[in-house]
Amino acid sequence: MDETVHKGLDGVVADETRLSAIDGDAGVLTIGGFALDELAGNATFEETLFVLYEDRLPTTDELADFRAELAEYRALAPATRSVVEAAAERGQSAMDAARMGLASASLARPASEAGDVNGETAAEDPERDALIAVAQLPTIVATYWRAREGEELVEPRTDLSHAGNYLYMLTGEEPTDSEVRGLETYLNAVVDHGFNASTFTGRVIASTESDVLSAVTGAVGALKGPLHGGAPGPVLDMLEETHAADDVRSVLAAKLDAGERLMGFGHRVYNVRDPRAAVLSEGAEAFYRAEDGGDEAFYESAVETETVARDLLSDRRPDLDLETNVEFYTAIILRGVGIPQPLFSATFAVARVGGWTAHALEQLADNRIVRPRSAYVGEYDRTWTPIDER
C-alpha cells in the first residue's frame, strides 16, 4: 500500500465537483461553468447562488421566488441575536461572532422541527439549511458591527437584494446602485474556489452526514485562521500608507529593504495574476469612476501602488511569480462600498458561504465519508511501568 505522505494533502485529488475549476497556470477560474469574468460583473449574488445550487441560470420567475425565499430567513432568532451581541460587547472578533451565530442558526428552523420527536431527531432539510446559512450570515455580521459600535440594530428588509440588504443593515441607509453592484461583483468573485481549507472542512463535516449548518460553522472556524482569509486588512493598511505618501516607490522599497512582505501579491495556486484580482480591478474602476461611486483619488493611488509594487517585485524577486492576488483589490472595493476594515474577513465569509453550502449539498448528494490514512512515525513495543516505578 502506498505510504507516500502528501503534507496538507498537497496535490491530492479528493473528489469531483461541478462548482468551480481552477487553472493556476493560465490564471482562469470557472464558477458553475461560467468564466469568472463572465459571471462576476453581470450576475446578482442570488443568480450566482442559483447557478451553484441548480447548475443553471434562473428564469425571471424562478429568480423572484428564490430571492423571496432567501429573504424569509434573514431575521435572527432572539437567542442568536443575544449571543452575537454578547460577542460584540466582549470585544471578540467578527469571525468569532460569525461562528457563534451560525452555530445557533438552526433556531431559525420551524419550531415543529426543534429537538427530538418521540425519541428520534426531527428530519433535516439540507436545502433549507443552506438558505438559512446564506441569509443569516450578513445579519449576524451586521448585528455584531452595530452592537460593537453602540448603534441601534437595523432590522433586515426583504425588499432589498442580498448585497443591498447587507449594506443597509451595516449603515441604516439604503445603499446606492453603484455600492450594491460593487459588492455583488466582490461576492460573486470569491463565492467559491475549489477545495480550499474552509470548503474542504465543510465537506468533511458533511461527509459524516451531519447537517449543513454544522458544516458551515466548521468552515467559518477554518476561515478564521490567518493563513486562509486574513490578508485584505493589511493590504488596506499598506494602501492607506501609500495614498498619504509623496513617493509610493520609496515607501514600498523601504518595506522590502526591511524584509517586509508587500501584501496582496503572490498566491499558492496562481502562477500569473489572480483572475479574481482582474475581475475586481474592473469592478473597482467601475465603482470609483461612477457618479455615485467612491474616492477616486484613493483608487488612482491604489492603481499606482499596484504598478510600482509589481515592478519592484519583478526586479528583486525575478525567480518568483509575485503577481497581484485577490486580497489587493478586495481591500480597494470593500473600502469603497463602505465595509469597515474589521469586517473584511467576515464579509469574505458572507460570500463564501454560498460556496460552502453548495459543496455541502454536493457532498451529501453523492456521499462517501472522508477518511484519509496517516503515516505513523511514533515508537512501537513500549511496555507499561506502574506509576510508583517511573
Side-chain angles (χ1 to χ4, degrees):
M1 188 172 291
D2 183 15
E3 292 288 345
T4 302
V5 176
H6 298 271
K7 279 286 202 179
L9 300 182
D10 188 35
V12 174
V13 178
D15 208 338
E16 298 175 328
T17 182
R18 63 164 181 78
L19 299 173
S20 62
I22 303 166
D23 186 334
D25 293 328
V28 175
L29 173 60
T30 301
I31 302 291
F34 293 89
L36 185 63
D37 58 0
E38 183 75 17
L39 186 71
N42 294 315
T44 64
F45 189 59
E46 290 91 333
E47 285 176 301
T48 297
L49 289 173
F50 194 95
V51 167
L52 291 178
Y53 293 159
E54 303 295 337
D55 201 20
R56 61 181 176 83
L57 288 170
T59 65
T60 300
D61 289 344
E62 286 174 331
L63 180 59
D65 290 344
F66 182 72
R67 286 185 62 176
E69 185 178 9
L70 186 65
E72 285 180 11
Y73 296 112
R74 286 176 179 164
L76 303 182
T80 300
R81 174 180 284 192
S82 293
V83 76
V84 171
E85 290 183 273
E89 290 165 4
R90 287 173 57 91
Q92 295 188 242
S93 72
M95 290 301 293
D96 282 330
R99 172 178 48 78
M100 290 186 279
L102 282 172
S104 65
S106 57
L107 295 170
R109 294 170 179 160
S112 61
E113 298 181 24
D116 290 347
V117 179
N118 296 326
E120 296 184 3
T121 302
E124 292 165 346
D125 183 339
E127 288 78 13
R128 193 247 347 263
D129 281 356
L131 295 182
I132 289 174
V134 172
Q136 297 225 330
L137 189 50
T139 310
I140 289 167
V141 176
T143 297
Y144 162 85
W145 182 250
R146 300 286 293 187
R148 178 184 134 152
E149 295 300 293
E151 300 284 349
E152 184 178 352
L153 301 185
V154 177
E155 295 296 330
R157 283 171 48 179
T158 59
D159 61 316
L160 296 176
S161 69
H162 190 75
N165 179 66
Y166 179 42
L167 293 172
Y168 168 72
M169 287 189 296
L170 285 173
T171 66
E173 298 179 2
E174 192 165 329
T176 67
D177 291 342
S178 291
E179 288 169 340
V180 173
R181 180 64 261 170
L183 182 58
E184 283 190 316
T185 298
Y186 170 72
L187 297 178
N188 290 336
V190 301
V191 68
D192 195 48
H193 199 242
F195 279 18
N196 56 83
S198 57
T199 296
F200 190 64
T201 297
R203 288 193 73 126
V204 171
I205 294 171
S207 80
T208 69
E209 297 190 353
S210 184
D211 62 292
V212 170
L213 291 170
S214 293
V216 169
T217 303
V220 169
L223 181 63
K224 184 185 174 187
L227 295 184
H228 188 9
V235 170
L236 183 59
D237 291 337
M238 181 184 72
L239 293 176
E240 297 284 9
E241 183 180 355
T242 56
H243 180 52
D246 294 327
D247 185 354
V248 171
R249 182 173 291 272
S250 65
V251 170
L252 297 181
K255 289 181 179 296
L256 292 173
D257 291 341
E260 296 181 30
R261 287 181 56 201
L262 298 187
M263 305 306 295
F265 297 89
H267 194 278
R268 180 176 176 179
V269 173
Y270 295 108
N271 298 319
V272 294
R273 194 185 194 206
D274 189 329
R276 297 167 298 177
V279 164
L280 291 178
S281 69
E282 293 179 3
E285 181 175 15
F287 169 74
Y288 280 97
R289 299 204 189 285
E291 290 185 7
D292 58 348
D295 180 358
E296 193 168 352
F298 173 81
Y299 169 73
E300 297 289 354
S301 170
V303 171
E304 180 187 2
T305 298
E306 179 189 21
T307 300
V308 172
R310 292 173 70 184
D311 183 49
L312 286 171
L313 291 170
S314 177
D315 285 345
R316 298 194 182 202
R317 297 304 306 269
D319 54 318
L320 298 176
D321 295 311
L322 297 175
E323 294 288 341
T324 316
N325 65 32
V326 65
E327 281 88 4
F328 188 87
Y329 275 96
T330 289
I332 297 169
I333 205 164
L334 292 188
R335 176 193 188 272
V337 302
I339 303 296
Q341 184 174 344
L343 300 186
F344 278 9
S345 291
T347 300
F348 183 93
V350 167
R352 187 56 62 84
V353 69
W356 292 334
T357 52
H359 276 276
L361 294 174
E362 185 178 64
Q363 181 71 39
L364 291 170
D366 183 23
N367 189 45
R368 180 173 181 177
I369 190 170
V370 177
R371 179 61 172 88
R373 297 175 60 246
S374 61
Y376 178 68
V377 295
E379 296 186 31
Y380 287 93
D381 300 324
R382 283 176 164 171
T383 57
W384 179 260
T385 302
I387 194 167
D388 58 354
E389 298 178 14
R390 296 176 200 166

